[in-house]
Amino acid sequence: MNLGMILPRESGRREEGLMNRLLSVLSIGRLPVETKWLHLDPHIHLLVCHIPAIYGHAMHRKGPLKRLKRKLDRMFSEEGVLSVIEHPAACNLYGSEKTRYEPCLMDIAVGRFTELLGIVHRGPGLNRMEITVTGNQRHLEYAITQAISLVKTINVLIPEGSREPGQAEEAFEETGIPVHITSDPEVLNRTPLWIRFPNDHESFDCLPAAYTGRIIDLGALKVIDTRAKRVYGICLELPMALMKELGPLPDDLRYYRFPGFLAANCANAWGESAAEASLRLDMRLIVKP
């Protein structure tokens, strides 16, 4: 599978003198596009296209952009590129800025949430910690099976009248670690860490205002330290070798959109989950201010 990426070329290069840039704007000069292949996997390849620096700025003249788009269309078609992502300064030639990767990143955060436990609670002592989890039935059962052997106690907070998750008793029988199921939000008062899975009950939305501790909000892709009044984004860090090939990227592209783009496409190609694809691509889960 071949993927494409469009980046603006660095300005100030000798071969892009003032006259050449002026001619390009007037639609009568050449439109040089530099390309290179990056091999992410024996079957996954990324075609990186560096377009003229002048196109890295907002332009109101449609002529040069149309010519550049035709050139890129031809190139991507010849190379069998299936999907393209663009630097935010590349004039949105393919509309990739409209593509949202939050659902993919959310799936990765959920699939790798036990890693987040270790990141948020740095140092030893996780096995002496009491945590609370909220979410739908599927997520609660998943959380119990994944975290039961990592912590001292799991509190499962459910709305009044909701069905209890079915894995609690089995998990206790297997590990001897208690799972407390309750509809009383007071349980948060004794819990230093609260894990909110996506789409937990709306009645819980008012609880963070009075909570003192850390919240791993997998739906919002945030870690919230209510005591220190700090908020961190949950994101992915690409391998350093790949970043050296691409050069500096804006944070939104580097830590969110581009990892989401790669994970989503590779997961589809490999027939596996986004979390599995992110691990296979050697992406590191991090929290960032």
Side-chain angles (χ1 to χ4, degrees):
M1 180 177 68
N2 293 336
L3 304 172
M5 186 175 194
I6 301 175
L7 300 175
R9 191 157 59 228
E10 294 180 5
S11 60
R13 298 177 51 144
R14 291 182 180 178
E15 63 269 28
E16 288 186 8
L18 177 62
M19 181 58 71
N20 186 52
R21 285 194 266 176
L22 177 61
L23 292 175
S24 294
V25 170
L26 295 174
S27 298
I28 58 176
R30 62 189 184 90
L31 296 173
V33 176
E34 293 182 355
T35 62
K36 66 178 175 181
W37 284 101
L38 300 181
H39 304 287
L40 310 177
D41 172 88
H43 305 290
I44 307 291
H45 313 288
L46 180 68
L47 178 61
V48 181
C49 300
H50 287 90
I51 63 176
I54 195 163
Y55 294 102
H57 303 280
M59 295 175 57
H60 300 286
R61 300 184 64 87
K62 296 182 179 180
L65 291 178
K66 287 183 177 180
R67 292 175 56 226
L68 181 60
K69 176 71 162 51
R70 285 197 299 269
K71 184 169 186 174
L72 291 169
D73 284 347
R74 186 168 57 252
M75 185 182 304
F76 290 145
S77 176
E78 291 173 352
E79 299 294 351
V81 170
L82 300 179
S83 186
V84 177
I85 190 168
E86 303 161 83
H87 189 286
C91 295
N92 203 26
L93 292 168
Y94 287 85
S96 68
E97 288 186 9
K98 297 179 182 179
T99 305
R100 311 308 304 172
Y101 294 104
E102 285 86 352
C104 176
L105 296 172
M106 192 187 307
D107 289 345
I108 293 171
V110 169
R112 299 173 62 176
F113 88 95
T114 55
E115 289 181 51
L116 285 169
L117 289 178
I119 293 171
V120 173
H121 182 75
R122 297 184 182 277
L126 184 60
N127 61 350
R128 298 192 295 273
M129 178 176 284
E130 186 172 352
I131 68 171
T132 294
V133 297
T134 57
N136 59 36
Q137 283 288 319
R138 180 173 61 87
H139 284 148
L140 292 178
E141 293 183 358
Y142 169 69
I144 291 170
T145 59
Q146 295 296 309
I148 190 70
S149 62
L150 301 177
V151 298
K152 177 184 177 181
T153 305
I154 298 178
N155 300 309
V156 177
L157 179 60
I158 60 176
E160 190 73 40
S162 295
R163 181 169 59 89
E164 296 184 0
Q167 295 294 327
E169 190 172 335
E170 294 178 18
F172 175 71
E173 290 177 356
E174 291 180 6
T175 66
I177 298 173
V179 177
H180 297 150
I181 302 174
T182 180
S183 58
D184 184 1
E186 290 294 319
V187 71
L188 289 171
N189 291 336
R190 66 171 188 263
T191 307
L193 186 61
W194 172 15
I195 304 171
R196 295 190 70 177
F197 281 85
N199 303 313
D200 66 357
H201 199 268
E202 60 185 13
S203 63
F204 298 147
D205 290 344
C206 63
L207 299 180
Y211 177 65
T212 303
R214 284 167 293 178
I215 306 171
I216 300 178
D217 192 331
L218 300 172
L221 293 172
K222 295 183 184 301
V223 173
I224 305 160
D225 189 332
T226 61
R227 189 186 300 271
K229 301 187 185 305
R230 299 286 300 274
V231 178
Y232 304 85
I234 299 171
C235 53
L236 290 166
E237 190 170 60
L238 296 162
M240 189 56 66
L242 176 58
M243 291 310 304
K244 286 182 179 179
E245 291 286 348
L246 296 175
L249 298 176
D251 279 2
D252 181 61
L253 182 61
R254 175 173 181 170
Y255 294 107
Y256 296 96
R257 291 180 56 236
F258 186 43
F261 168 81
L262 291 180
N265 281 282
C266 290
N268 184 60
W270 292 330
E272 58 190 29
S273 70
E276 291 169 329
S278 70
L279 288 167
R280 192 163 163 181
L281 290 164
D282 199 24
M283 295 181 184
R284 193 165 68 96
L285 196 63
I286 63 171
V287 295
K288 190 177 186 303

